[in-house]
Amino acid sequence: MNRTKGRSMRFNGIMLIAALLALGACGKPADGPQHDASTHNMQRADDPKTPATIVSATPTPLATASTPTTPRSCSAEIGATAAARRVAICRNVSPATHPPCNAVNSCAMIEDEIARSCALFNGDGPEIKGCGPDPRGMEAAAEVVRRYYSAIDARDYATAWTQWGDDGRPGQTLAAFEKGFTHTRTTRVTIGALQPGDGGAGSIYQTVPVTVDATLDDGTRQRFAGTYVVRRVNGVDGATPSQLRWHIDSAKLTPLPASSL
């Protein structure tokens, strides 16, 4: 489904580098890639009966620019037991015939399906075990940003890209977005204190303060601070379930001095 497009995100000079690095695309030009990934447009292991392959919870560095990369599985990211718990929740709440509830997928993809499924109920009927926080609340908005960086760190760029909406970031392709992360090894986001969001023209906007830490494939460490604005349609007649979910609308990040590392 198409989502209501958010305001265009503009980056220039070091500001763009900051934003893209937060996305994992350090050192790329101003309109470098952002993301794409809808659980419907990604290649995934859909069969929930497929056994999980357990590796290590330690993040695996990205390969060099000439080497293809693949997403890191949830079982490799957080371990078999924790991944199995998330898979069980996903299977319990998802109404999809073939949901991506499989530990061989990234944790971000599994969590995105949980969030999507819980948002469909939108508080109607009895409480569903495994759903939370409130899909309309500010914590759920912050979870979009957490999933975004989790997906980038796991190299699941499709899931990261669709945190901007089902069609990804306006004006940017998934291929361009993914290319921007060639030299990024790891990314991590810390969410700051949330304040109630603002409403306007049928939408709710939630500001999410962040600090982003990134490591490049040569070992260089960088840190950025700033905000994401996350948006959802609020009670508009005819709005689709996708539009009623939170998605990233804009971002503004600034590089911090080396002394902060």
Side-chain angles (χ1 to χ4, degrees):
M1 294 183 180
N2 292 324
R3 288 189 182 170
T4 301
K5 299 297 183 181
R7 295 165 295 179
S8 298
M9 198 169 52
R10 298 179 180 274
F11 302 111
N12 53 60
I14 194 67
M15 291 294 297
L16 170 70
I17 295 175
L20 291 182
L21 178 70
L23 311 174
C26 176
K28 293 294 173 185
D31 278 318
Q34 304 246 301
H35 26 302
D36 165 301
S38 97
T39 46
H40 306 290
N41 295 331
M42 325 171 80
Q43 293 183 345
R44 53 170 76 119
D46 282 333
D47 183 0
K49 297 181 180 178
T50 302
T53 301
I54 309 307
V55 191
S56 161
T58 303
T60 304
L62 292 185
T64 60
S66 60
T67 304
T69 61
T70 56
R72 187 169 63 250
S73 71
C74 191
S75 57
E77 187 175 347
I78 62 175
T81 302
R85 285 196 293 265
R86 296 191 190 188
V87 166
I89 293 172
C90 183
R91 292 176 182 172
N92 180 58
V93 303
S94 177
T97 303
H98 298 291
C101 307
N102 193 305
V104 300
N105 293 322
S106 73
C107 291
M109 183 189 289
I110 296 169
E111 290 164 355
D112 192 60
E113 177 63 15
I114 293 172
R116 183 192 73 84
S117 301
C118 292
L120 288 174
F121 299 100
N122 203 28
D124 296 331
E127 181 178 348
I128 299 175
K129 184 177 181 181
C131 284
D134 179 355
R136 294 165 295 187
M138 61 184 181
E139 287 294 340
E143 284 301 316
V144 173
V145 180
R146 288 193 182 96
R147 277 198 304 276
Y148 179 58
Y149 282 98
S150 173
I152 290 171
D153 193 60
R155 302 187 298 279
D156 183 356
Y157 304 118
T159 294
W161 193 64
T162 51
Q163 299 311 300
W164 290 83
D166 286 348
D167 297 323
R169 185 191 177 203
Q172 187 167 46
T173 66
L174 171 59
F177 174 69
E178 182 172 345
K179 185 177 180 181
F181 298 96
T182 298
H183 298 292
T184 302
R185 180 186 302 170
T186 63
T187 59
R188 180 173 60 87
V189 66
T190 300
I191 305 295
L194 300 173
Q195 299 296 327
D198 299 318
S203 293
I204 299 293
Y205 295 89
Q206 177 64 52
T207 298
V208 181
V210 299
T211 301
V212 178
D213 290 279
T215 302
L216 306 186
D217 57 10
D218 64 359
T220 300
R221 297 169 57 208
Q222 296 182 323
R223 175 172 288 179
F224 301 86
T227 58
Y228 277 82
V229 174
V230 185
R231 173 181 176 270
R232 67 176 176 83
V233 172
N234 185 36
V236 175
D237 290 342
T240 65
S242 179
Q243 291 169 340
L244 293 170
R245 284 187 64 192
W246 292 107
H247 64 272
I248 297 172
D249 186 70
S250 63
K252 183 177 181 180
L253 300 175
T254 303
L256 296 177
S259 58
S260 68
L261 297 173

